[in-house]
Amino acid sequence: MTGAARIALAPLTSDFLEQAITGAGARLSELSDARALVWDGGPNGFPDLPESIEWVQLYSAGVEEFFDAGIFERHPNVVFTSAAGAFAKSVAEATMALLLAGVRYLPEHIRAHSWRQTEFFPHIGTLRGATVAVVGAGGIGREVIAMLEPFGARVIAVNRSGRPVDAPNVVETIPAERISEVWARTDHVVVAAPATDGTRHLIGKDELTQLKPHSWVINVARGSLIDTEALVAALREGAVGGAGLDVTDPEPLPDGHPLWDLPNVIITPHDSNPPQLRTAAFAEHVAANVTRFVQGRELIARIDPEAGY
Amino acid sequence: MTGAARIALAPLTSDFLEQAITGAGARLSELSDARALVWDGGPNGFPDLPESIEWVQLYSAGVEEFFDAGIFERHPNVVFTSAAGAFAKSVAEATMALLLAGVRYLPEHIRAHSWRQTEFFPHIGTLRGATVAVVGAGGIGREVIAMLEPFGARVIAVNRSGRPVDAPNVVETIPAERISEVWARTDHVVVAAPATDGTRHLIGKDELTQLKPHSWVINVARGSLIDTEALVAALREGAVGGAGLDVTDPEPLPDGHPLWDLPNVIITPHDSNPPQLRTAAFAEHVAANVTRFVQGRELIARIDPEAGY
């Protein structure tokens, strides 16, 4: 390689990201002259890439909208990487906040205006000895599994391959094609799998029926993975204990939607990874990938256009 | 030793506890004939102990009421053990639920009835890279420290001796006499220290003033450790971010108390260790101590009448 790799940053620039790129050994340049592009915007306005571009780093973990816009199809010779994993720690922390709030009956505590100890006692559960199904053992799932460990929760991990997830508290790893075995065996469910055609309505009426009256369902992936109507029905009937939703379907969830009024639902409006936490995490991710690019090593979070994420 | 050690169980019996005692190699007997007593009641009705009693296991982690009733004083030759540590895991889990709910702004989310994403964004914090002061590094404190680790929080531990707490995320251990150094240096505070004359109003106006507008104060110890009036004032003025209180002063907190109406307060009415979780945890603790008693080893959670806990 002669000289530093030239990388373009668009549509927005920031000192944070410029430093991440140059600090990792690359040089900032115009797109027309660059070997790589760090694109910190959405699919609208995504440029026609010059032939010199080998790699594009995107700014989100989920990249359905780029698929829908045909951007990968238009650039079959370019390696795209997502930000998958970069935001995993913040989203995993939000997942734990939702799960613990649910298991510990915090919504009703927060609404209380008097000392209702004996009334609350029987509703308080624990993660200790409980089984948590972590559906999708990518970046977020793995962080959640690590966070669950000191709480004494057993994990059933679900991933595409069924290749065992290596963590002390994972009691079993089940391949996605056998996910139907999971529902009756778990206390709680954390959904952290990518949104693909294959995962739409992964959790519907049949799945919810097999869960337990104390089960909490946490979704930090995409709203479409859960059949909202079936979830509302299951919550109303007490088939499950509650739901913690960072993502919804539809999203944004419109005013007046029944989910807003259910007492055992916590909605965090897709804010598990707010801007002030994103910036630092994305810069760290960019620096790691630029370092790898400069050194000719394999990039983190490479998008597989065939798999759909 | 000839035959199994004889242990009395009173005032209540349960299969759970009987099995814990006999399973650990002792034999159940009447108090008059016993070498030890497992007392699963409060100080009221505590019996005059016969001279044969060497050890009494109590059912709570905090034993102020037994001190107040003069029970230790009346039996200077008897070893008393509390249940300290037995309930630590459940209380630590509740602590994490409160802290995460606070840092992640869940109270306002739970009250919301519409998608307020951009309004919520700036209020969402993270434990990652944050400093948490864990005041009292006994059973609960040590469990909390372990649970904080995968979240990437740095811990300043405060204990009596200042002897370093050995955990990868503890950046410093400070002796109780130097606790005044802690407030300005931490983001959040977890109070898990015993209630003694020395810890009354450990956190008052001066301490709260040194905390940060985003600081959450979690109290799972005893209400008296925090000056309630000063806390209400600090919350109203925004001197701190919020409070998660499993214990209050006065307790129970009366209806109409200002703490019930503050939006950034979560009160769990001393239910971090509800009966259904206590029974199993206490039986485990009793079994461990009976095993040690039978083997003539040192008992867990021995009460030090001079220290006051």
Side-chain angles (χ1 to χ4, degrees), chain A residues 92 96 132-150 153 155-158 165-170 173, chain B residues 150:
Chain A
M96 290 297 294
V132 179
V134 176
V135 180
I140 296 166
R142 283 194 304 268
E143 294 289 342
V144 169
I145 289 168
M147 290 171 178
L148 284 168
E149 212 273 320
V155 170
I156 299 177
V158 180
V165 173
D166 184 26
N169 54 334
V170 172
T173 304

Side-chain angles (χ1 to χ4, degrees), chain A residues 89-94 96-98 100-101 103-104 106-117 120-128 143 146-148 150-151 246-248 250-256 260-261 263 265-277, chain B residues 89-94 96-98 100-101 103-104 106-117 120-128 143 146-148 150-151 246-248 250-256 260-261 263 265-277:
Chain A
K89 288 175 158 74
S90 179
V91 178
E93 180 180 310
M96 290 297 294
L98 289 169
L100 282 166
V103 167
R104 286 280 165 170
L106 290 194
E108 195 60 26
H109 282 91
I110 285 166
R111 283 187 292 262
H113 283 78
S114 67
W115 192 267
R116 293 154 60 189
Q117 186 187 57
F120 285 172
F121 270 156
H123 296 282
I124 294 162
T126 179
L127 290 178
R128 187 149 303 273
E143 294 289 342
M147 290 171 178
L148 284 168
F151 289 91
D246 188 56
V247 290
T248 57
E251 184 174 318
L253 196 69
D255 284 3
W260 289 120
D261 291 319
V265 172
I266 310 174
I267 294 165
T268 56
H270 213 139
D271 63 17
S272 67
N273 182 28
Q276 71 273 24
L277 303 186
Chain B
K89 289 177 158 73
S90 179
V91 178
E93 180 180 311
M96 290 297 294
L98 289 169
L100 282 165
V103 168
R104 286 279 164 174
L106 290 194
E108 197 58 28
H109 282 91
I110 285 166
R111 283 187 291 262
H113 283 78
S114 67
W115 191 267
R116 293 155 60 189
Q117 187 187 57
F120 284 173
F121 271 156
H123 296 282
I124 294 163
T126 179
L127 291 179
R128 187 151 303 273
E143 293 290 341
M147 289 171 177
L148 285 168
F151 289 90
D246 188 56
V247 290
T248 58
E251 182 173 320
L253 196 69
D255 286 3
W260 289 120
D261 291 318
V265 172
I266 312 175
I267 294 166
T268 56
H270 213 140
D271 64 17
S272 67
N273 181 28
Q276 70 275 22
L277 303 186

